[in-house]
Amino acid sequence: MSFHNADALEQHNWIGGGLDAYIYRVTPTIVVKTVRRDRTPEEKAAEHPFLKEISFYKRLNACRDQCPNIVECNRPRFYERQERETGINGFYGRLIRVKEFEDPALIARWIQQITSALENFNLKLTDFGRATTIGQPLEGTLPPRARPILAGPLKGTYGLCSARTEQFAVGTLLYFMVYGHEPYDDIILSAAEWDRRFWEMEFPELSRNKVFDGLISACWHNVYPTMALLAYDFKRKTKDMIGNTEYIFIDSVKETKTCEALIRKGLLGPELALRFQPAWRRYLHAIVKRSMFIWQYFVQRRFWIWS
């Protein structure tokens, strides 16, 4: 798999970034994630950072009959409602304030679907790019989505993927949805202080929504012995919150066609643009390219003869 970068993407609104990639909003309903241009030679030689994410999304799409809108619930929606200081190297700066909070009914709908997927399909929640199986060491995840272990045989790790690690991540995700930012996002903490606070279970004050706050606290304090019990408790306590909430339906077929049209126009570069053209246009392009090659050959040959 090659790395596709395009200048056209950078003309759109940058809404997020991470260790491996940047995210741009290209339409009101479509965002594009692309690998960073400034990756080191070692990073470029390693496994493509999107392979595990693709595998994860395939698993999510396989669950769409039970979780029809789970893929549409994404973090950029929340980041756009934040006011932040200017960061460096494409990362967000310190949080100043949250300009708008999400509708609790939508949060209830999303969190029910997410916990259902975790319960029924053993999906690992913490990071799409770090997908692994239950029982394996939890790697590539830091506070606030994981709680470090600072004592005992697993000291210096985040433990093994289990109900403990996953419900902690669910708690942090729910906090993000309810409060519009991650825990302690409004202050600067050292890595050691992050670890200390979460190891000692020194969490931010919860005071926005009684139901959600209780669920967040339960997840952070490892109340649920299994994810099935977590999913049951979440559904039981949030069922009355959903009501008749109007959900904006996303037509996947229509959006797929829009994506293909954007690619054909060169959003991801000329190579992919050609790949998504109709067969007759690709054939015509091949003929023109071949003709140009032959013409250049004869021009060079004539030049050699004259010389």
Side-chain angles (χ1 to χ4, degrees):
M1 180 184 293
S2 59
F3 291 79
H4 294 293
N5 286 302
D7 293 333
L9 266 181
E10 298 180 358
Q11 299 174 8
H12 294 274
N13 184 31
W14 184 93
I15 59 173
L19 294 177
D20 297 310
Y22 295 148
I23 301 174
Y24 298 89
R25 182 176 294 282
V26 296
T27 76
T29 56
I30 297 174
V31 298
V32 175
K33 186 174 183 180
T34 182
V35 291
R36 295 186 355 254
R37 289 180 180 270
D38 57 348
R39 289 168 58 83
T40 65
E42 292 76 14
E43 289 175 323
K44 293 180 180 179
E47 180 184 66
H48 195 290
F50 291 173
L51 287 178
K52 288 184 177 179
E53 294 195 25
I54 292 171
S55 175
F56 195 97
Y57 267 108
K58 285 182 178 179
R59 189 72 180 275
L60 282 181
N61 283 322
C63 308
R64 291 184 73 91
D65 58 332
Q66 296 189 31
C67 311
N69 302 311
I70 189 171
V71 177
E72 279 78 14
C73 172
N74 55 64
R75 296 163 67 89
R77 174 187 181 93
F78 296 92
Y79 280 123
E80 291 181 334
R81 300 180 178 186
Q82 299 174 351
E83 181 180 345
R84 289 179 170 271
E85 295 178 348
T86 302
I88 58 175
N89 297 328
F91 290 91
Y92 289 106
R94 184 181 65 85
L95 176 74
I96 298 175
R97 68 185 180 96
V98 176
K99 295 178 287 186
E100 180 184 359
F101 293 99
E102 188 56 85
D103 180 0
L106 280 180
I107 295 175
R109 182 192 298 271
W110 286 332
I111 204 67
Q112 283 193 16
Q113 293 182 345
I114 290 172
T115 53
S116 176
L118 289 169
E119 170 197 1
N120 296 325
F121 300 96
N122 287 328
L123 293 176
K124 177 178 176 295
L125 174 69
T126 50
D127 192 327
F128 287 0
R130 298 286 181 175
T132 187
T133 54
I134 300 298
Q136 296 299 311
L138 180 60
E139 298 177 343
T141 304
L142 301 170
R145 290 174 292 279
R147 180 170 173 258
I149 297 176
L150 302 184
L154 294 177
K155 179 180 179 180
T157 73
Y158 291 93
L160 304 179
C161 292
S162 63
R164 180 190 70 82
T165 60
E166 297 313 289
Q167 69 183 280
F168 193 94
V170 169
T172 297
L173 177 61
L174 181 55
Y175 180 96
F176 186 89
M177 291 179 174
V178 174
Y179 288 82
H181 63 88
E182 292 188 336
Y184 298 123
D185 220 7
D186 55 343
I187 58 177
I188 304 298
L189 297 177
S190 66
E193 180 62 12
W194 270 109
D195 287 350
R196 185 198 68 77
R197 291 194 182 198
F198 278 78
W199 167 248
E200 296 181 3
M201 305 184 83
E202 185 179 315
F203 303 125
E205 180 183 358
L206 302 174
S207 58
R208 175 158 292 277
N209 181 290
K210 184 177 180 180
V211 173
F212 287 145
D213 289 344
L215 294 172
I216 294 169
S217 180
C219 288
W220 281 348
H221 289 86
N222 193 29
V223 167
Y224 305 105
T226 67
M227 294 306 293
L229 286 176
L230 179 148
Y232 170 79
D233 199 37
F234 271 52
K235 291 175 183 177
R236 181 175 65 88
K237 292 180 177 177
T238 60
K239 64 180 181 180
D240 295 331
M241 300 177 66
I242 296 178
N244 296 320
T245 304
E246 182 180 354
Y247 189 86
I248 301 175
F249 175 74
I250 296 179
D251 187 337
S252 298
V253 175
K254 178 181 177 181
E255 296 297 344
T256 298
K257 291 181 179 178
T258 301
C259 288
E260 292 174 350
L262 289 169
I263 294 173
R264 283 195 296 271
K265 292 179 180 178
L267 180 67
L268 301 182
E271 179 184 342
L272 278 178
L274 178 62
R275 194 180 303 176
F276 279 80
Q277 297 297 328
W280 67 268
R281 184 165 292 182
R282 295 198 303 271
Y283 183 69
L284 178 61
H285 179 271
I287 293 175
V288 172
K289 186 176 181 180
R290 180 66 176 174
S291 300
M292 289 293 295
F293 173 79
I294 295 174
W295 181 80
Q296 290 175 354
Y297 171 79
F298 280 110
V299 168
Q300 292 176 355
R301 184 177 179 84
R302 178 173 295 182
F303 176 77
W304 292 335
I305 293 174
W306 288 346
S307 300

